[in-house]
Amino acid sequence: KQWYQRRVRVRYGHQRYVQDIFPCGNGHCVDTSKVCDLVDHCGDGSDELGCANNFHCAESGEFVALSSLCDGKVDCLSYEDECGVGCPKKNLFGSPSLVYAAWIIGCLATLSNVFSCGVNMTKLVKSRTLESAVNRTLLVLVSFGDF
């Protein structure tokens, strides 16, 4: 608070501004009780920059409490409060058995798509009507698109 008081005294030279005013970067002034409270009172964010109690979302310009970092709840529009450098990587699957089950299901789905693609390609070649050819072509594209 003394830093704010000295800066105001030098900048404005008025004793009445010394005690409770913070000079914003854009020339406005706010009450020092509003500094570092996670709300941009200055309009340029200067009353929240450099505060030890918050995190600044770069893209949106929001200020988030440090206690909200890496808490599983997205506070910044760009997810940087949950995916930032200081957040540990979270494993979506809690146990190895779930990881193995996910791999097995994924492999079975891929094999099913390969089989479906092969069957429909064979039927596409043998199609005699335009409607049948279009339907088989769409089935092949859907099967192929799932890879």
Side-chain angles (χ1 to χ4, degrees), residues 27-97:
H28 295 100
C29 293
V30 297
D31 191 86
T32 54
S33 65
K34 295 180 179 182
V35 175
C36 296
D37 66 352
L38 302 176
V39 179
D40 179 12
H41 297 287
C42 288
D44 64 355
S46 59
D47 60 319
E48 299 302 318
L49 290 176
C51 297
N53 69 333
N54 67 32
F55 172 77
H56 184 241
C57 304
E59 284 188 33
S60 63
E62 298 169 277
F63 295 96
V64 177
L66 285 180
S67 60
S68 296
L69 287 179
C70 309
D71 64 352
K73 180 180 169 247
V74 177
D75 297 297
C76 293
L77 295 176
S78 59
Y79 298 95
E80 58 193 304
D81 62 311
E82 298 302 321
C83 300
V85 178
C87 295
K89 290 185 179 182
K90 295 179 182 175
N91 190 359
L92 295 176
F93 300 107
S95 67
S97 60

Side-chain angles (χ1 to χ4, degrees), residues 1-23 32:
K1 194 166 182 173
Q2 290 176 352
W3 176 80
Y4 302 135
Q5 291 172 356
R6 278 197 309 261
R7 183 172 174 188
V8 172
R9 183 179 294 129
V10 170
R11 188 169 179 176
Y12 296 103
H14 299 291
Q15 285 295 341
R16 63 187 172 130
Y17 291 112
V18 172
Q19 293 299 318
D20 298 320
I21 300 296
F22 171 79
T32 54

